[in-house]
Amino acid sequence: MTGRAARHEPDGQDDRRAATRADVPGPRSTTSSPLPGLLAAICDRLPEDRLVALEHVFGMVSGPGDPLLRRFIAAQPAAGLAHQLTEIAHVWSTEAPGMPGPGLALALATVRSFPRPRPAQVVVSGPMSASIPARLTSGVAVDVIRSAETSLLIASFAAHGARDVVTEIGQAVGRGVRVDLLLEESTQASAAFAALPDEVHVWHRAGTSGVLHAKLIAADRHTAFLGSANLTDRALSDNIELGVVLRDPSTVEPLVDHFRWFLAPENDVMRLA
C-alpha cells in the first residue's frame, strides 16, 4: 500500500467526535431577533432630534441594566414610549447582553440613516375590530400633545370635558410650549379650556359665514393628528370616530403652515378671543 496509511478509529469513535462537535456552541444567530424591528419602530415614532438624544443616552450606558437608562425610560412622558424603550432594554438583555451601549447607539444610528417612509397610523374611537391595527383616540391625543417641545396647534369644532387633554395642554405650557387653540365660537368650545394659563392663545373665526369644523392636533412641525373626533369625552372614547396620525415632516409642515396662515392678522381669518 502506497502513501500514508488510513487512520481507523475504534467503532463508534467517529460518531462520538461528531456529537461532541455538535454540542459546542457556535455564534448565536440573530436573524430572528426582534431588536432591529423595535429600533425601526422607534425611528418611525420619534422626530429626528429626539432620536439623536436617544442615541446619546445609549452611547453613555454600559448595558441594558444601567441605572442611567432606567431613569431615562422612567422620565419619558409620551404615552407608550416608556413601554417601547423597556421592551428594547429587555430584548437587548436577552439577545445581546454583552453588547455595550455604544453598540446599540450605532445600531440605532444605522437604522435612522436609511430613508424610511413614515407610515400614517390609524386611530379610532368606539369598538375596535381586529381588521386593522389601530390605537384609541384618547391615548393618541395625549401622546401627540406630550411630544410637543416648542409649539402646539389644536383645532376643534366642539370641546367638553376631555380632562386628560386639558391637563396635558397645561403641562405643555409649563414646559415652555406655545399653545394656539382654534375653536368654534358658536359651540362655546373655549369653556372647556377656561382653567388653562393665560399664556394659551384662543382663536375664533373672524367672519360670520361658515364655521370652524376642522379637528387637528399638531405638535411642533413633526406630528399631526387629524380626524373626525372633537375634543369631547364621548368623541375621544365612545363615539365611532376615525382619524390618522401623520409623522412625515414633508406632509406635516405644509399642514401646520396652512393653519398658521389663518392666524396672521392681515389674512382676517381668525381673531384672538
Side-chain angles (χ1 to χ4, degrees):
M1 182 174 183
T2 60
R4 194 168 183 177
R7 181 179 177 183
H8 295 283
E9 300 284 358
D11 290 343
Q13 185 69 26
D14 289 336
D15 293 339
R16 285 194 295 272
R17 286 181 181 273
T20 302
R21 288 193 298 269
D23 291 340
V24 175
R28 186 172 187 176
S29 173
T30 58
T31 55
S32 61
S33 171
L35 191 55
L38 294 173
L39 295 178
I42 283 288
C43 287
D44 286 341
R45 173 174 183 165
L46 297 180
E48 187 75 7
D49 55 343
R50 297 182 68 187
L51 286 172
V52 171
L54 179 58
E55 286 174 23
H56 179 67
V57 171
F58 282 152
M60 292 192 301
V61 302
S62 58
D66 194 301
L68 174 62
L69 180 61
R70 289 200 297 267
R71 290 194 297 270
F72 177 80
I73 293 174
Q76 299 307 306
L81 182 55
H83 175 76
Q84 278 186 276
L85 293 174
T86 298
E87 190 174 5
I88 287 174
H90 172 71
V91 173
W92 181 8
S93 65
T94 302
E95 300 291 334
M99 180 171 65
L104 192 63
L106 179 60
L108 180 60
T110 301
V111 175
R112 183 171 60 85
S113 67
F114 287 95
R116 294 173 53 80
R118 308 284 288 195
Q121 180 183 31
V122 177
V123 183
V124 300
S125 298
M128 293 184 68
S129 74
S131 300
I132 54 174
R135 292 185 61 195
L136 288 173
T137 302
S138 54
V140 171
V142 168
D143 193 358
V144 174
I145 293 170
R146 286 180 177 176
S147 73
E149 296 184 346
T150 60
S151 66
L152 270 171
L153 193 151
I154 299 175
S156 188
F157 173 74
H160 183 269
R163 187 170 302 172
D164 289 345
V165 169
V166 175
T167 298
E168 289 301 330
I169 293 173
Q171 292 180 358
V173 173
R175 62 178 184 267
V177 174
R178 176 190 169 95
V179 178
D180 290 285
L181 300 179
L182 287 64
L183 304 171
E184 172 56 33
E185 189 172 14
S186 66
T187 64
Q188 291 81 50
S190 60
F193 306 98
L196 290 175
D198 293 338
E199 294 92 329
V200 173
H201 303 83
V202 177
W203 302 83
H204 294 320
R205 280 287 303 270
T208 57
S209 61
V211 296
L212 188 152
H213 202 252
K215 293 90 176 179
L216 168 70
I217 303 176
D220 303 333
R221 297 168 64 81
H222 57 69
T223 305
F225 171 33
L226 57 157
S228 62
N230 286 301
L231 295 179
T232 67
D233 289 331
R234 295 189 67 180
L236 293 173
S237 300
D238 300 326
N239 295 348
I240 295 179
E241 308 277 1
L242 180 65
V244 293
V245 176
L246 306 175
R247 292 191 174 89
D248 184 349
S250 66
T251 303
V252 174
E253 289 178 2
L255 178 63
V256 171
D257 289 341
H258 175 68
F259 277 83
R260 291 283 178 201
W261 181 86
F262 293 163
L263 308 185
E266 63 271 18
N267 295 325
D268 196 30
V269 177
M270 306 293 295
R271 58 176 173 81
L272 282 168

